[in-house]
Amino acid sequence: MRLWHASGIASPPPPPRLPLLSLLVTLLAVAGFTGSGFASAKNDGPRITKTAFEHRFYGLSYFEGSDVVLAYDPKVGIVHRSTDAGENWKTVEDIPKGEVADLRENPFDRNKAYVLSTGHRHWRTDDRGETWHEFKTSASPSPWRSPLNFHAGDTDKVIFLAEECRDMFDCDEMALYTTDGFATDPEPLRTGVRGCTWARSSDLFKTGNDFSDADRILCIAKGAYSRFSKDNRLVMSDNYFVEEVEPELGPGRTIHGLVNMATVKKYMVAAVKADRTDEMALYVTDDTSTWHRAVFQGDHKVEEDAYTILESTNYSIQVDVRSSKPWAPLGALFTSNSNGTYFTPNAEHTNRNRRGMVDFEKVQGIQGIVMVNVVDNWKEVEASASAKKKLRSQISFDDGRTFRPLKVGDEHLHLHSVSDSPEDGGRVFSSPAPGIVMGVGNTGDHLDAYKKGDLYVSDDAGLTWSRTREGPHKYAFGDQGAVLVAVSDADLTSEMAYSIDHGKHWKTADLGDKIRARHLVTTPDSTSLKFLLLGHRKGDDKEHLAYSVDFDGLHERKCGEGDFERWCARLDDKGEPDCLMGHKQFFRRRKPDADCFVDEEFKNPQPEFEPCACSDEDFECDYNFVRDGDGCVQAGALVVPDGACKDGEESFMGSPGYRLIPGNTCRREGGVRKDEQVERRCSGSVKPPADGKVASEVTHFKGNAFSEYFYLERTDSSQGDDETIVMRTDGRQVFITHDHGKTWAEILKGKKVESIYPHEHINDAVFFVTDGVDVFYSYDRGKTIDSFKAPSQPTSLNLQIMNFHPIRKNWIMWTGSKPCDPAKDNCQTNVYISTDRGDDWRTMLRDVLKCRFVGGEVGGDAKASTKRIFCQQVELEGVRKVRRLVASDDFFVEDRKVHFKDHMNFAIMSEFIIVADAVIDGSRDSLKIDASIDGETFADARFPPNFDVPHQQAYTVLDSSTHAVFLHVTVNRLSGHEFGSILKSNSNGTSYVLSLGDVNRDVDGYVDFEKMLSLEGVSVVNVVANVDAAKGGDEKKKLKTMISHNDGAEWALLPRPDQDADGESFGCHGDVEACSLHLHGYTERINPKNTYSSPTAIGLMIGVGNVGPYLDSAAKADTFISRDGGISWEVVKKGRYLWEFGDQGGIIVVVRHATPTTTVSFSLDEGRTWRDHEFSDKKMRVSEISTVPRDNSRNFLLWGQFEGEDKRVSTVNLDFGRLHERKCELDEADPEAGDYYLWTPKHPLQDDDCLFGHVAQYHRKMIDSNCFTGHLELPKPHVIVRNCSCTRQDFECDYNYERQRDGSCALVPGLTPSDHSKICRDDPDVVEYHEPTGYRRIPLTTCQGGRELEYVEDKARPCPKHEDEFEKSHNRTLSGVGVFFAIVIPIGLASAAGYWVWRNWDGKFGRIRLGENGGGSGGGGIVGGSSSNGSGGSKMVWDAERVWIKYPVMAVAVVVAVLIAVPDTTTRLWRSVRTRFGLGGVGRGSSDSGRSGLGGSSASRRYTTRDSFARRQGDYDAVVDTDEGELLGDESDEEV
């Protein structure tokens, strides 16, 4: 039975009352009859009442402890109610017809239920549906998750999960709450949530604090500054989110990436998934305060949509984890320890379906009895998706620790279970009736088809079974098992069968109609004598029938004491009561042959327990021990108690390998004590202490060079601590290491591996392509290797062979061709598609150069098909070949759309698709750019009009992670002298402005352009300073390095450091134009992954270069560092070094580049001081230094060749793990209390710490903290302190405008501003637009108010047909009160101002007053006046009190003030008159108003991030054809 699995957030249901059923509605007719015939005598059979309905209905619910039943009909939107278990039905009149969309029962109050609509009106009942009362919500119920969450201790407290949509694709999730059971409308709880739950959402779960039990709520909330699921947070509040905290899920840290949360018995479980992996982490708590990550023993990992939390016990959680491919699902059953954190396997190869439903059920009411189905031919199923599963049924009487077959005599019995059920939940075999179990199946070796099954029954809780009826049946239990009812499920039937002796004998009752039975149910506690059968007539789906079946008159008497037996839940092989979980369990149960009914409705049978002495069966294997035969053997490092193995101690008292099973109540006295501690050795159990030393490990390989290597980086939700690398030598040998190069192992021996393809979107997956059709792959970071046959050989052209879907991890495109000669132009390249990880392939498209998955990637558009693919296909047009850009939403089965008939190339970058389209002018001499953000609509890119490049044949799409495309357009194509201009787009990639000209590029189209990985908007470029001489080839290019701190809006040269490496001044002098710092850039790197910055070392940058007028040769370079995001720089090493960041900037390692050496240098204080480490006594020429892409490891790897070893290459692992023993402490509630401080990046031209319209703070480790950060993910940023007022730095020049020397933007001479009124035509709902001002907002900025340069109020204009709205929004009418405030008040204020000027004027205009006190003794503060001998200031000629001064000054002041006020007053009056009389035109209005329309909304509506895939910061690049820096266009004019 499944409670919930990883596909969504939904609390598990309470102990099942009834499966959610598809039932019936709209009453038509009622007829009564009994037994076999319509008027059978008493005791001859049950009384049967038939009711006909027009439609199916849903949500059948019994109110516990009653015969009241509710169900609803979604077709007509009504609720039906029965008070006698379905014998009579009435339509609820209190709820309007057509409003009912859902029906929910309160699981903790047997009187309450709720009817929800799809809108804002809903209804509640507190009296089992007798009366209903309306309540309203401010938003509609959430369609994504269960909308109601109930408090287990106070049934008036309910959380209402809702959604508010502005349009179809712009919705916000929120939570509301009530503390009075919706007697009043619910109040807002929190916005931006992905689900909320009361801490006390289970009868068994408690926080340990009464106050917290009463009001604590936990929510999964979107990230503070992100909408991506990887940034979802867990937030908690005890006062309805007036205040909130983030609980620490990990040791000393909060965890992001929450996707699911649920309460299971006494545990709460949270599921977390990091970006770029499908592996999930489960965190468990039993009090909401202390959380632990669940550890699964063995190699099993928990994957998204691949685990199911099953019905668990009060003392452990049971989880089934999928262990196979999703299209042939198998699982492994795990049981946790008592705190839910360590899971040990119980059963392998459990059967599950693709919906995550697992063949698992606990026998209800009896401890420890579990039934499962396992796959016998699991190897065959794993090898082939077409293999049919062979299932065996098993049963466990000890909570799943051991299993045995089900038996009918000596034969094995196999039963159909949950995975065959059409319902999502509900029990299959058992009920509260003690020990009575039923099922449909067959005897033999394996489970056969359902239609071939028979009905079997057991009255000893599954120990023994017997066949009770032929054919498959639906069945139900009543009167605590005294009555069993069954109806044929094979075909149409006109009768039902019943037994009153545990299925030994059966009788039948006539239904009066031949029906197809759908459901047979009774009260959830199985104590009633009334049943409800639902079905419909043959071929008549319009008439649905409900039969009320009442056995109340079948027996004349109620059972007495002599009619009951004391039944034991389990017997041993001798037939004696057996112990289970430390006790024997007994029930008082009616004897099978008693001629009576229990007739105790709604009273559950209660067990009694008898303790047993502890035995071997009461113990299980402890943490890091596994069962081996009859014993437990050590499988991992022992847990060493705090304080043990210190100061030379050699042993400690530890686990013997066993623990008492959680929840076991066995008696210790006189029993076995297998869990008593034993002496254990410290060696092998404790990591070596930190000794401040760096360890080195050298490995040699045959070959002349390393061809390629890739890190398979663990994410935060991945298990283990491996640091895995796969590497290929030039001899086509492949090696793997899981410990960062300390030990290597060759894999795929004898296979000629041509290339390695890491999955672009899943870190754990990697593919190995051979020279044939064999492809090998791993989805668990190389722990296991699988293979498939490719549909063809890899293409021999220089094209990307494999392409991966960003969401569907098993969808792969393969580019291949038959053997051919590329020089003869006879190669046909085809693209194939597989949706099952290479098991099956289909030819998708022929004559293709390039294909990319677009669905799920570009723009995050909800409308975009997941199957959307873009391809570049070659077709013959006349005598020449042209490239078509084609797209499909069905893998080109039927859908094929040509977007461009003749284009050169396309690239996908962040949320953009950029296409280089050939200009059809007969010459093919030029290209143009088109862009799309949804994969459907393309728009021409508008380049700056003064950007005149008549022969545009090369574009390079640069980084576009800041919601704007950076495009390099080649201006000069002369080989060895290439350069061009960087253009920056608006937020949809269609309108470009010049960001910077003369930017350097190389012959391959790569550009000296790089964005800083840890700070937004910081970019570094190299520009050609001698353009005139270089473009003709007269001189070599002279390069200068420039930096931008506002996403390319402004650029500046790098300031030089104060001193060189020797502490001396640099040789050059003058201003920054004559003497600045220059760095070697992207075009000179052997490995493009060696970036200036790091994704986790916030603010740090390293580069090699020189100080001078231009960039000099690499041989003359020194190594420089910046600690403030490139604002200031310092020399750290003389000479050219390779560098790498580790421990998130806590370690920096450098090594000489291309110069043989035996040492590396490292710094633990951001490059302020350095220490050397000798890694070998033999010199090595290091070609590269590497570490994990996120730079959070303390291991590094040198790649190179030792001197004198021509036929051998080597790696050297550098382990800095023993430098620090203590892990750094971070308290996000008090971020500067631990080992970190908050660092604020700055803009060099601003003094207010504002970058992109806000002040952000980041965690950085304190320099003197003697600790390590490790894999702790530090929030980036920690907090945005505030949004800033807008300044010039928040804007860039608009289209048709260019930057002037003074920094302003001016219209290009001869051009006109762009037409902003176009937004009115594009969107008829827009009220206004603004005429161009010359400025546009940088997409990244969040500034508010201040200098909002893109909007000037007197440039606001109304859209057609919205003039009235425009006038109202700008307050263009003037009332009498308005006239008063517009005329009287300004003149009054002006007069007051004049009076103040007269009183305070001292005869001096324009002077600065310093410390004046109005005439003290001395008069030393007077400037420009005279005083008499220090006796105080003498009265001046220009005394303000003199009449020739006093009145003229007052008059002038009044006139000036009135002149200031009158124009505004006149304007307001003119607006009023013009509006009243319908005159046209617009005038000046309030600078705050009218911001509601598209394009006129930036004051109140800032740039909104699209749901695009996250940027791969610091990650390894795509193997062959990465779009990051992709060259669009051709360097020649040749045809394809």
Side-chain angles (χ1 to χ4, degrees), residues 958 967-972 977-983 994-1002 1005-1010 1020-1025 1027 1037 1039-1040 1042 1051 1083:
L958 306 171
L967 185 70
H968 183 276
V969 182
T970 299
V971 173
N972 191 63
H977 298 78
E978 299 90 350
F979 60 85
S981 296
I982 292 180
L983 307 182
L994 180 64
S995 175
L996 187 63
D998 309 326
V999 179
N1000 183 52
R1001 57 152 280 196
D1002 63 13
Y1006 292 106
V1007 179
D1008 274 347
F1009 172 94
E1010 182 177 320
V1020 178
V1021 300
N1022 281 338
V1023 298
V1024 178
V1027 170
K1037 291 185 287 187
L1039 304 182
K1040 288 176 174 283
M1042 304 189 77
W1051 296 89
T1083 59

Side-chain angles (χ1 to χ4, degrees), residues 326-354:
W327 48 91
L330 308 175
L333 179 64
F334 287 82
T335 299
S336 77
N337 57 1
S338 56
N339 65 8
T341 58
Y342 187 75
F343 288 78
T344 53
N346 297 131
E348 295 284 351
H349 318 307
T350 52
N351 184 51
R352 54 190 290 136
N353 62 22
R354 296 190 183 188

Side-chain angles (χ1 to χ4, degrees), residues 1057 1066 1077 1101-1103 1105-1107 1118-1121 1129-1132:
F1066 286 98
L1077 173 63
M1101 301 177 74
I1102 295 180
N1106 61 273
V1107 172
D1118 293 330
T1119 305
F1120 299 82
I1121 192 170
W1129 293 81
E1130 178 182 310
V1131 183
V1132 290

Side-chain angles (χ1 to χ4, degrees), residues 1191-1208:
D1191 295 343
N1192 55 15
S1193 173
R1194 292 186 288 166
N1195 280 267
F1196 300 79
L1197 203 58
L1198 303 179
W1199 306 78
Q1201 199 166 28
F1202 283 95
E1203 286 188 330
E1205 297 186 358
D1206 296 335
K1207 300 294 184 180
R1208 200 164 68 164

Side-chain angles (χ1 to χ4, degrees), residues 267-452:
Y267 308 96
M268 185 172 287
V269 183
V272 174
K273 190 184 86 69
D275 194 28
R276 297 187 55 78
T277 183
D278 62 350
E279 186 172 356
M280 306 192 77
L282 298 184
Y283 290 86
V284 182
T285 182
D286 56 10
D287 60 5
T288 71
S289 298
T290 303
W291 296 75
H292 300 279
R293 177 167 179 170
V295 178
F296 287 79
Q297 183 175 296
D299 294 329
H300 292 281
K301 68 176 183 177
V302 179
E303 295 183 359
E304 187 177 19
D305 295 328
Y307 69 96
T308 304
I309 296 184
L310 305 165
E311 182 186 5
S312 300
T313 67
N314 297 350
Y315 43 82
S316 65
I317 304 173
Q318 290 184 302
V319 177
D320 189 85
V321 178
R322 194 184 70 213
S323 58
S324 66
K325 298 174 182 178
W327 48 91
L330 308 175
L333 179 64
F334 287 82
T335 299
S336 77
N337 57 1
S338 56
N339 65 8
T341 58
Y342 187 75
F343 288 78
T344 53
N346 297 131
E348 295 284 351
H349 318 307
T350 52
N351 184 51
R352 54 190 290 136
N353 62 22
R354 296 190 183 188
R355 293 179 295 151
M357 308 293 289
V358 181
D359 282 352
F360 171 96
E361 182 175 324
K362 285 185 172 292
V363 173
Q364 190 172 357
I366 302 175
Q367 287 185 328
I369 302 182
V370 179
M371 298 173 65
V372 300
N373 283 343
V374 297
V375 181
D376 208 19
N377 62 329
W378 58 272
K379 288 185 178 179
E380 183 183 347
V381 171
E382 286 185 340
S384 172
S386 60
K388 184 180 180 181
K389 293 179 180 177
K390 296 179 180 179
L391 304 184
R392 290 186 293 109
S393 295
Q394 297 182 331
I395 190 167
S396 171
F397 292 93
D398 55 7
D399 243 354
R401 275 164 286 281
T402 60
F403 285 89
R404 64 178 73 175
L406 280 65
K407 301 294 284 287
V408 178
D410 293 331
E411 293 187 286
H412 289 185
L413 173 65
H414 314 287
L415 300 176
H416 292 272
S417 185
V418 177
S419 65
D420 286 340
S421 172
E423 312 301 336
D424 264 355
R427 295 185 184 279
V428 176
F429 305 121
S430 63
S431 78
I436 310 298
V437 190
M438 299 177 73
V440 174
N442 57 272
T443 57
D445 293 332
H446 301 103
L447 183 63
D448 211 335
Y450 181 80
K451 292 294 184 181
K452 297 181 180 180

Side-chain angles (χ1 to χ4, degrees), residues 907-910 912 914 955-962 964-969 981-984 995-996 999-1001 1005-1011 1019-1021 1051 1082 1511 1523-1528:
I908 298 175
M909 182 66 65
S910 294
F912 304 98
I914 308 298
Y955 305 124
T956 303
V957 182
L958 306 171
D959 183 288
S960 303
S961 60
T962 52
V965 177
F966 279 82
L967 185 70
H968 183 276
V969 182
S981 296
I982 292 180
L983 307 182
K984 182 185 176 185
S995 175
L996 187 63
V999 179
N1000 183 52
R1001 57 152 280 196
Y1006 292 106
V1007 179
D1008 274 347
F1009 172 94
E1010 182 177 320
K1011 287 203 171 186
S1019 305
V1020 178
V1021 300
W1051 296 89
Y1082 191 91
R1511 182 186 183 192
D1523 288 336
E1524 185 85 21
E1526 182 165 355
L1527 179 67
L1528 301 185

Side-chain angles (χ1 to χ4, degrees), residues 683 715 910 1307 1369:
S683 59
T715 67
S910 294
L1307 189 65
S1369 67

